[in-house]
Amino acid sequence: GVQTCALPISPGKGVTGRGPRVTLVVATGSEDLEAFLASLHWTLALFILALLAGSAVLVKIVTTFALRPLDDLARRLEAIDAGSLGEAVVIDKAPTELVPTIEHLNGLLARLAESFQRERTFSANVAHELRTPLAELRTLTEIALQWPDDTASLLSSLAEIQGIGLEMEKMVVNLLALARYDGGQQTVRLSSVPMRGIAEGCWNTLAAEARDRGLTLALEVPEKLAVVTDRDKLELILANLFANAVAYASPGSRIAVSASAADGHFHFSVANRTAELTPEELPRIFDRFWRKDSARSDGGHVGLGLSLVAALCDLLGFAKEARLRGDRFEIALSGRIDGAWYSP
């Protein structure tokens, strides 16, 4: 290194003014300083490397310990199949941050298990409903083939076969309609629909069957009440409601159909008396293929009518409710008159 120092020179006695200045330069070698700095650089470098290596090991240890519950969760999820969807995922000593995720996951698994169970029940119900008419078809064809020369018996068998085929076709059509409604593949075409006209038309198709059971209709629907909705789908809803009432109302009773409007909303209900339904069975009214055991021998009703009603109400934005007061069963619908809820 080089150090510079300026020193003043004092003038002799009797001499005035400032004297000259002498600059003294002292130089020393920098080898020791450079060696020290190099040593310091290496020390810092080694310290940083050791710190990085230690940090990496520490991070590995911490993450391995912290992520152990996630590894357990991954192994638990990998072991889940269709048969174990209902089993809740339990992780011992799960961190607080992971608990909500596990709870939501268990909720998802529960919903999936419920969906799988519905599919199994649906498949079993379809098989059950098709087994009886198929057996009847086989029996009728065997009888017809056994006596082919008996024209009267052959024609009778063909008529029964046709009836069974029509019922099976109706069930398949209803199942396809339900599948389309569930998949959102239906288009809603809005128009102003007169409620009374639709109700009268739907009842006329069932009037003969109602007379055979001694049923009468009390229709209390205002002439001017109109709803902006899909005419065909509303007609299908009312047709199924009336068919259900005619099929299961107590013989000789009255079916009450009423409608009203208030505050931009309409209310529609179909009520009938029945001695077979209980409050415990009410929540299953809109389930597919559900019927009381006493009605299972009736081949004309396979338990899809009210399921169609429920699917169509969801599609059209109608609220639906099944009520039972004593022996009086009622299905009530409600919704907006102007149909402004609908957004295609």
Side-chain angles (χ1 to χ4, degrees):
V2 179
Q3 296 181 358
T4 303
C5 180
L7 300 175
I9 299 177
S10 299
K13 291 183 178 181
V15 179
T16 60
R18 300 181 60 184
R21 299 178 65 86
V22 177
T23 301
L24 177 64
V25 179
V26 179
T28 59
S30 62
E31 292 82 359
D32 293 339
L33 178 60
E34 292 175 354
F36 172 75
L37 292 176
S39 175
L40 181 61
H41 289 163
W42 278 106
T43 300
L44 290 175
L46 292 175
F47 176 76
I48 292 174
L49 290 175
L51 182 62
L52 292 175
S55 299
V57 174
L58 182 61
V59 168
K60 176 67 175 177
I61 295 174
V62 172
T63 53
T64 300
F65 177 79
L67 295 180
R68 186 174 301 170
L70 287 178
D71 294 336
D72 295 340
L73 179 60
R75 286 192 293 269
R76 179 68 181 85
L77 293 178
E78 187 178 4
I80 292 177
D81 55 20
S84 59
L85 286 174
E87 300 177 7
V89 175
V90 179
I91 305 297
D92 295 332
K93 299 180 181 179
T96 305
E97 296 79 5
L98 192 59
V99 171
T101 301
I102 296 176
E103 292 177 350
H104 291 309
L105 181 60
N106 284 329
L108 173 61
L109 292 176
R111 292 190 295 273
L112 287 175
E114 184 179 353
S115 298
F116 271 71
Q117 184 58 41
R118 282 199 303 267
E119 293 299 324
R120 296 189 189 99
T121 303
F122 176 79
S123 300
N125 286 332
V126 171
H128 175 83
E129 297 297 340
L130 290 177
R131 181 179 59 183
T132 299
L134 288 174
E136 292 175 350
L137 288 176
R138 183 183 63 182
T139 302
L140 289 171
T141 53
E142 289 175 351
I143 293 174
L145 291 173
Q146 190 171 359
W147 292 284
D149 297 331
D150 189 343
T151 304
S153 176
L154 184 61
L155 291 176
S156 176
S157 296
L158 288 176
E160 292 186 47
I161 290 173
Q162 183 186 35
I164 294 172
L166 289 174
E167 291 301 330
M168 294 176 65
E169 180 185 14
K170 180 180 178 181
M171 184 182 70
V172 172
V173 169
N174 287 339
L175 288 174
L176 289 175
L178 282 170
R180 289 195 298 269
Y181 298 149
D182 289 344
Q185 301 175 6
Q186 285 292 312
T187 301
V188 176
R189 296 179 175 86
L190 301 180
S191 63
S192 181
V193 183
M195 292 292 288
R196 186 176 181 89
I198 291 290
E200 290 175 343
C202 292
W203 177 259
N204 289 337
T205 61
L206 297 165
E209 183 180 351
R211 283 194 300 270
D212 292 341
R213 303 192 70 236
L215 301 174
T216 58
L217 174 68
L219 186 63
E220 299 179 0
V221 179
E223 290 282 356
K224 296 183 179 180
L225 177 58
V227 176
V228 177
T229 187
D230 189 302
R231 182 186 184 92
D232 294 338
K233 292 176 177 57
L234 178 60
E235 187 173 1
L236 187 55
I237 289 175
L238 299 191
N240 279 283
L241 290 178
F242 290 167
N244 182 78
V246 170
Y248 299 111
S250 300
S253 62
R254 184 182 65 173
I255 298 175
V257 178
S258 62
S260 61
D263 300 327
H265 289 74
F266 76 91
H267 301 274
F268 183 88
S269 69
V270 178
N272 60 271
R273 296 192 178 279
T274 178
E276 297 183 349
L277 196 63
T278 63
E280 292 75 18
E281 296 166 334
L282 198 62
R284 302 194 60 190
I285 285 296
F286 296 107
D287 289 352
R288 298 174 187 183
F289 291 109
W290 184 85
R291 294 174 302 175
K292 290 182 68 69
D293 292 339
S294 60
R296 280 205 173 269
S297 60
D298 182 6
H301 300 275
V302 296
L304 290 176
L306 294 185
S307 298
L308 274 172
V309 169
L312 287 167
C313 285
D314 292 340
L315 182 66
L316 298 178
F318 297 163
K320 62 185 180 300
E321 182 182 4
R323 307 166 182 161
L324 183 64
R325 297 184 177 92
D327 64 347
R328 180 182 172 86
F329 173 65
E330 179 184 15
I331 295 181
L333 309 179
S334 62
R336 293 181 61 91
I337 291 178
D338 58 8
W341 60 270
Y342 179 66
S343 177

